[in-house]
Amino acid sequence: MSGTSSPSRLTQAQQTAVAELLRVSPVADELGRRFAKAGHELHLVGGSVRDALLGRLGNDLDFATDAHPDQTLAVLRGWAEATWETGREFGTIGAQRDGLRLEITTFRADVYDGVTRNPVVRYGSSLADDLRRRDFTVNAMAVSLPDHAFTDPHGGLDDLAAKLIRTPGTPEESFGDDPLRMLRAARFAAQLRFAVDPAVRAAMTEMAADLDRITAERIRDEFTKLLSGADPVTGLRLLVDSGLADRFIPEISGLKLEIDEHAQHKDVYEHTLIVVANAVRLEGSEGPDFVLRMAALMHDVGKPATKAVSPDGRVSFHHHEVVGARMTKQRMKAMRYPKDVTADVVELVALHLRFYGYGRGEWTDSAVRRYVTDAGPLLSRLHKLTRSDVTTRNRRKAAQLAADYDALEERIARIAAEEDLARVRPDLDGNAIMELLGVPPGPVVGQAWRYLKDLRLDRGPLDRDEAEAELLRWARAEGIVGPE
């Protein structure tokens, strides 16, 4: 056993890891024996060792070896159920065996070009070289296979016990090599609920602008993992406090509106973080739900641009949901999110205020139908987002809003049971419209369909005779058919 941690300090962590490692050891040890027979080393490394020590090892395993990719493929041939080479340019060969996904990477001792910060892949000659180049100490531990010798040259186990994010060398060297590691520090804080070492925090703040050299796709992937973590609020605060958020999602820092004694309003930034935490809590066992969390994060980003103070000192943010939806679409497009994910988040931001006013008794059944129809498949998320948005400290007001939303959900359930709200359609389909009006396929059919759908939303289901009579009345008014 090597490294800075003594056997006595390892005992408890090893006990935690035993069950995890035993679960995968039939495959891992067998692979280790194959590499040893071929004259190569094999080590379980990085996140796999960290997660085993935390008791949360999954089915994706990371290995490091002195074998080069062609040699690794030779070892795997006839043993792996499948192999893939998508990471070959980085020295990584993938394989599958007994339900486990294995990634085997040649020891690395990368150098960086200093401009794009992309690594120039250079194979290393030892495990020590490989561990030294890793991002954080908790990811710089290894277990050799098949003999299970533990290597921890940078004190990763002690940092794991202390729940601390620290770099193997100086943070400046680590982040200078790859600035994305600054975002990864915030991501691990969110995922693992770990604290970030003060020296690492200081380097993140000082070097935040270096993140501009990283591609939008790499930033997006790390940010998605951060927001999907167990404690996204901690990660978000770190991004804002360090200035990293300003480099790729400045709308979040922009929520820190100036609050003066004459124009009091709630702190939008703090309110937003509470809404995100509320949304996480409402996910239940179904989480993490990135779309819901992102909508919670972005729901009020339109407020700074729409803030207005009336002569009596009241602050308003009229139409901030419309402005916020537009800003959200632009930001997510810049971050290269898929169009369908972006569309869902944007729609939730646009709809998040729709509920307010319901408690004043202004909603007809028609309004409820439109609420459900506009939300469509996002309705359950809209329920959670709307409830998450209630952060008032006024208990009476909070209780009233909760009761109002309970009433709305009950009303939706009642109308849905009566009318099958999930599939609101006009009472006549396109074929019936063409037959009744005597028109061919074309724009008129679409106009008639939309008219009948609006009528259905306003009045609920119509029987066939009513629907036909209404359609003919509309068509005559539009000059599509002649008078009776």
Side-chain angles (χ1 to χ4, degrees), residues 124-202:
S125 58
S126 69
L127 178 64
D129 286 344
D130 186 85
L131 296 180
R132 190 181 303 116
R133 74 169 185 85
R134 292 179 178 266
D135 53 5
F136 304 111
T137 60
V138 295
N139 296 330
M141 298 179 282
V143 175
S144 64
L145 300 167
D147 58 340
H148 297 184
F150 182 78
T151 302
D152 177 25
H154 304 289
L157 186 61
D158 288 341
D159 288 342
L160 198 68
K163 298 186 175 182
L164 185 66
I165 301 295
R166 194 170 58 84
T167 52
T170 69
E172 290 78 10
E173 290 172 338
S174 182
F175 299 156
D177 281 347
D178 185 359
L180 188 69
R181 289 173 173 174
M182 296 185 286
L183 192 50
R184 284 170 63 83
R187 188 250 286 191
F188 282 122
Q191 282 186 328
L192 303 175
R193 300 181 188 272
F194 279 20
V196 176
D197 183 72
V200 173
R201 279 179 171 268

Side-chain angles (χ1 to χ4, degrees), residues 417-437:
E418 294 171 357
E419 303 178 12
D420 195 9
L421 273 185
R423 289 187 292 275
V424 170
R425 298 282 188 278
D427 296 288
L428 301 175
D429 63 16
N431 290 328
I433 290 169
M434 289 188 287
E435 183 180 346
L436 187 64
L437 301 184

Side-chain angles (χ1 to χ4, degrees), residues 230-243:
D231 182 16
V233 170
T234 290
L236 291 168
R237 284 193 187 280
L238 190 53
L239 292 182
V240 172
D241 293 347
S242 64

Side-chain angles (χ1 to χ4, degrees), residues 183 204 208 211 219 223 235-254 269 331 335:
L183 192 50
M204 290 167 68
L211 194 65
I219 291 173
F223 179 72
L236 291 168
R237 284 193 187 280
L238 190 53
L239 292 182
V240 172
D241 293 347
S242 64
L244 284 168
D246 292 336
R247 314 314 304 187
F248 70 95
I249 189 164
E251 293 83 359
I252 306 310
S253 305
Y269 171 69
R331 179 52 55 198
M335 293 177 70

Side-chain angles (χ1 to χ4, degrees), residues 362-400:
E362 299 169 359
W363 284 33
T364 60
D365 280 359
S366 171
V368 175
R369 291 187 196 100
R370 289 182 184 278
Y371 186 76
V372 173
T373 301
D374 288 349
L378 297 172
L379 183 62
S380 64
R381 284 179 169 135
L382 183 57
H383 288 333
K384 292 172 184 174
L385 177 59
T386 303
R387 289 185 182 276
S388 298
D389 197 20
V390 178
T391 63
T392 177
R393 292 196 183 106
N394 185 322
R395 291 186 181 181
R396 198 166 108 185
K397 185 178 179 182
Q400 184 60 57

